[in-house]
Amino acid sequence: MNNTANPDADGAAPVHETEVLIAGGGPCGLMLAIELGRRGVRCLLVEPRAGTAFNPQANATQARTMEHFRRLGFADEVRALGMPPDHPTDIAYFTRYGRHELARIRLPTAAQAAAQVRGLSGSWSAAELPHRVSQKFVEAVLHRHAAACASVELRHGWKLTGFDEVAAGPSGPHVLATLEPAAGGAPQRVRAQWLVGADGARSAVRQRLGIEWDGVTGIQRQFMGGRMFALYLRAPQFLARLPHARAWMYVAVNAQRRAFMAAVDGVAEFAFHAALQPGEDADAWTEQDARRVFAEAFGAEVPIEILSMGTWLAGHALVAREFGRGRVLLAGDAAHLFTPTGGLGYNTAVEDAVNLGWKLAAVVRGTAPPALMASYEAERRPLAERNTAYARRFADSIGLFEATPALDDDTPGGEAERARATEYLNAHARLEFNIPGVTFGGRYDGSPIVVADGTAPPPDEPGRYVLSACPGGRPPHAWLEDGRSLYDLFHAEWTLLALGDDAPDTRRFEDAARLLGADLRVVRLRQPALRTLYEAPLVLIRPDQIVAWRGTQTDGADRVLRQVLARGEADA
């Protein structure tokens, strides 16, 4: 065990001591545990489930998330999971899976993505491309890497049942929490410097804080709005019975049963989701009903083995009004709730953890004051509002498309309806699934810890990303002459890029970082193309690989580092 237990001041039962308590063991909580554990921060993660996810849940890891997995050293491990490396990752639309194909967007296989990424430029200039892999596989990888951190304790089968923030006392400001075994048993008290609620859409942490949602919910659409029926199934005959090319995502568009289905293993396992018609009560459905609904989407009876079934509600675009109070913070689905078009919920949650991890570590280690934590909400809440709005736009695009009964007809009228659908759905597929602007274009403009340089950021467009080193965004990516990604040269903490033959002397930054206790590494690169790409000889990259500052002179190094660490002038 990596944490300690001490008697409380009142002589009561021992209190478990840790630095950060994480409630929730999904991708957000596990990613945060890794970010903290790699930095030596003691943290305890509690999760009521007995282990990682059984159901597939989220099915798409965006390229920016894969770049973070690369930063942490396990992108290749994730890319090897899920479907076979030569399995298509197309998104295909049909009237029914066994009948007419309407539209398709072709995307590279896992093997092609690894080979092609080095030759891409413009909007898709990246260290990694997206990967279509179910969350159940990703969670297992994250769990393994979190468990490997000496300062991390993962406690499955435990839940957070209460907490109070203590403003002062012998232990200083802290959170005193109560944990209980999910199956019942004696509770335990935990004292932590910080508590992070990554405990999902029904977050007990958010509810105890009394933080309400902003945004909209209950949006009704013909598809992706209202109750949805979920099946995790095995269909060994599906691919043999499919009269079309394989895909990763199969979308059924007809008046009887709208549905989508993602391949899980590329062989026989699928995650199937169907919209309910008015008056249907899927909570009461039997396995016979499930087989009937699947047959409606396929257009014929296909044998299936049901691994799990349930319902969920589409039509959310919600963001918490606050991302925490005091020493209690919210992340992931506890802070924002999506309809899962574009795959943005899980990927936004991972970036919450990335943003939060280095900041909590800096505060716990004394490199930065607690004031740094105000930048978490300042940066991530606008991003959540942006991303939920994009997801809602994508859901409207597919969900408000009217699927008429004529789509199924083998008549001239049916052909005309299918031609209309094909034109619309091909455009929709590009809107929802070719989104480098959404993936890479998130920015922290206006953040108190980003040093603006007066330049205008590029436009925010879903299908187009403009490489820009304007402070507050993702650093422009480049492949170096020796075949390495520029990102592979970035330090785990702070990086100062010194670009070009005539880059200024960096000793002022190095000296200021040393005095402030910041872990800074200078990376010198002479290639003129990089200097042109970044439009400055000096660029400061944050631990979460965001441009914090760029410039031509070093005489303000101390001021820059103080701002990005929220140190201000008081402790100068």
Side-chain angles (χ1 to χ4, degrees):
M1 185 175 292
N2 302 303
N3 304 291
T4 59
N6 294 312
D8 205 8
D10 59 8
V15 177
H16 197 71
E17 301 275 357
T18 192
E19 291 173 323
V20 179
L21 174 61
I22 303 169
C28 183
L30 289 169
M31 189 72 169
L32 180 57
I34 294 169
E35 296 284 2
L36 294 171
R38 295 285 183 94
R39 294 174 168 94
V41 175
R42 287 184 294 124
C43 62
L44 169 63
L45 181 150
V46 293
E47 164 57 50
R49 297 174 302 170
T52 55
F54 170 76
N55 289 315
Q57 297 177 284
N59 290 288
T61 300
Q62 301 288 13
R64 183 60 171 159
T65 300
M66 288 297 294
E67 287 181 340
H68 286 304
F69 292 168
R70 182 188 185 103
R71 172 175 58 84
L72 294 167
F74 49 80
D76 289 345
E77 189 177 343
V78 171
R79 197 172 291 281
L81 297 174
M83 300 181 298
D86 62 348
H87 193 286
T89 63
D90 301 357
I91 296 91
Y93 300 79
F94 312 87
T95 57
R96 301 171 195 264
Y97 304 145
R99 299 204 67 196
H100 303 281
E101 181 168 326
L102 297 171
R104 181 181 291 255
I105 182 170
R106 298 187 183 278
L107 296 172
T109 67
Q112 290 170 338
Q116 292 175 7
V117 67
R118 294 175 180 272
L120 298 178
S121 59
S123 290
W124 283 107
S125 177
E128 297 283 344
L129 291 182
H131 183 50
R132 310 301 181 184
V133 58
S134 292
Q135 179 180 322
K136 63 178 293 179
F137 299 124
V138 177
E139 273 195 27
V141 173
L142 296 177
H143 184 277
R144 186 161 53 252
H145 284 272
C149 298
S151 63
V152 172
E153 180 183 353
L154 304 177
R155 200 184 293 186
H156 282 81
W158 283 76
K159 61 183 179 180
L160 175 75
T161 57
F163 63 86
D164 292 292
E165 186 171 353
V166 180
S171 301
H174 62 273
V175 177
L176 190 60
T178 302
L179 310 179
E180 293 182 7
Q188 182 179 46
R189 293 194 298 169
V190 174
R191 180 185 292 115
Q193 294 184 31
W194 297 87
L195 166 63
V196 178
D199 51 342
R202 297 180 178 86
S203 170
V205 175
R206 188 189 68 250
Q207 291 179 29
R208 183 170 176 84
L209 291 175
I211 295 175
E212 301 292 335
W213 291 117
D214 275 339
V216 293
T217 190
I219 301 171
Q220 294 298 309
R221 307 180 182 95
Q222 194 176 82
F223 183 53
M224 284 299 193
R227 300 296 293 179
M228 300 283 291
F229 177 63
L231 271 179
Y232 179 24
L233 61 92
R234 295 190 76 256
Q237 295 183 27
F238 177 84
L239 293 178
R241 298 276 301 273
L242 183 73
H244 310 286
R246 292 177 300 165
W248 159 66
M249 180 76 75
Y250 303 85
V251 186
V253 184
N254 62 75
Q256 181 187 29
R257 186 67 64 189
R258 300 284 294 270
F260 72 96
M261 183 171 75
V264 174
D265 64 355
V267 179
E269 290 189 11
F270 299 91
F272 174 82
H273 301 266
L276 302 185
Q277 297 283 20
E280 290 185 320
D281 178 15
D283 291 322
W285 279 357
T286 64
E287 290 195 356
Q288 182 178 351
D289 292 307
R291 292 184 169 87
R292 169 181 55 82
V293 169
F294 186 77
E296 290 170 353
F298 192 91
E301 295 282 345
V302 177
I304 64 172
E305 176 190 353
I306 296 171
L307 303 177
S308 69
M309 55 189 281
T311 61
W312 58 281
L313 185 65
H316 298 304
L318 298 171
V319 177
R321 292 179 182 174
E322 303 170 70
F323 274 31
R325 290 180 188 158
R327 289 178 172 260
V328 183
L329 304 166
L330 301 175
D333 286 355
H336 39 69
L337 199 55
F338 293 70
T339 289
T341 41
L344 299 183
Y346 142 64
N347 291 278
T348 303
V350 167
E351 283 224 82
D352 287 347
V354 172
N355 185 285
L356 191 53
W358 74 266
K359 295 174 180 178
L360 278 172
V363 173
V364 168
R365 291 290 171 255
T367 307
L372 176 64
M373 300 315 303
S375 69
Y376 170 64
E377 179 173 323
E379 293 181 344
R380 293 306 298 168
R381 191 171 188 276
L383 252 294
E385 291 175 336
R386 166 195 186 260
N387 289 358
T388 54
Y390 272 130
R392 181 182 179 183
R393 177 178 172 184
F394 303 152
D396 284 344
S397 176
I398 187 65
L400 297 179
F401 174 76
E402 184 182 2
T404 65
L407 277 169
D408 271 325
D409 293 346
D410 291 322
T411 64
E415 290 180 9
E417 271 297 281
R418 289 191 290 277
R420 176 184 73 91
T422 293
E423 181 179 7
Y424 184 92
L425 293 171
N426 274 322
H428 165 77
R430 291 191 297 274
L431 173 67
E432 182 179 353
F433 294 102
N434 183 20
I435 51 172
V438 178
T439 299
F440 299 131
R443 297 186 51 81
Y444 298 148
D445 297 315
S447 167
I449 62 167
V450 169
V451 185
D453 66 356
T455 59
D460 188 5
E461 304 173 21
R464 178 171 173 261
Y465 168 68
V466 178
L467 280 74
S468 172
C470 175
R474 168 182 176 262
H477 179 266
W479 291 100
L480 305 179
E481 295 171 354
D482 61 7
R484 289 180 296 174
S485 164
L486 172 62
Y487 287 5
D488 294 342
L489 274 62
F490 290 170
H491 186 35
E493 299 300 326
W494 294 88
T495 304
L496 182 65
L497 294 179
L499 304 175
D501 288 326
D502 58 346
D505 188 291
T506 59
R507 279 177 290 184
R508 286 181 176 174
F509 268 97
E510 295 170 75
D511 292 344
R514 192 176 303 111
L515 289 171
L516 293 170
D519 184 0
L520 175 77
R521 178 182 298 170
V522 177
V523 174
R524 304 180 190 279
L525 297 165
R526 297 182 179 276
Q527 293 94 318
L530 291 175
R531 171 74 169 264
T532 301
L533 183 63
Y534 277 80
E535 299 180 308
L538 297 172
V539 186
L540 183 64
I541 310 295
R542 297 185 346 183
D544 54 354
Q545 295 189 351
I546 292 291
V547 177
W549 168 89
R550 66 176 171 178
T552 60
Q553 305 294 329
T554 63
D555 51 359
D558 181 76
R559 174 188 56 79
V560 167
L561 289 175
R562 286 184 177 280
Q563 180 174 342
V564 300
L565 289 168
R567 293 284 290 264
E569 300 296 331
D571 60 346

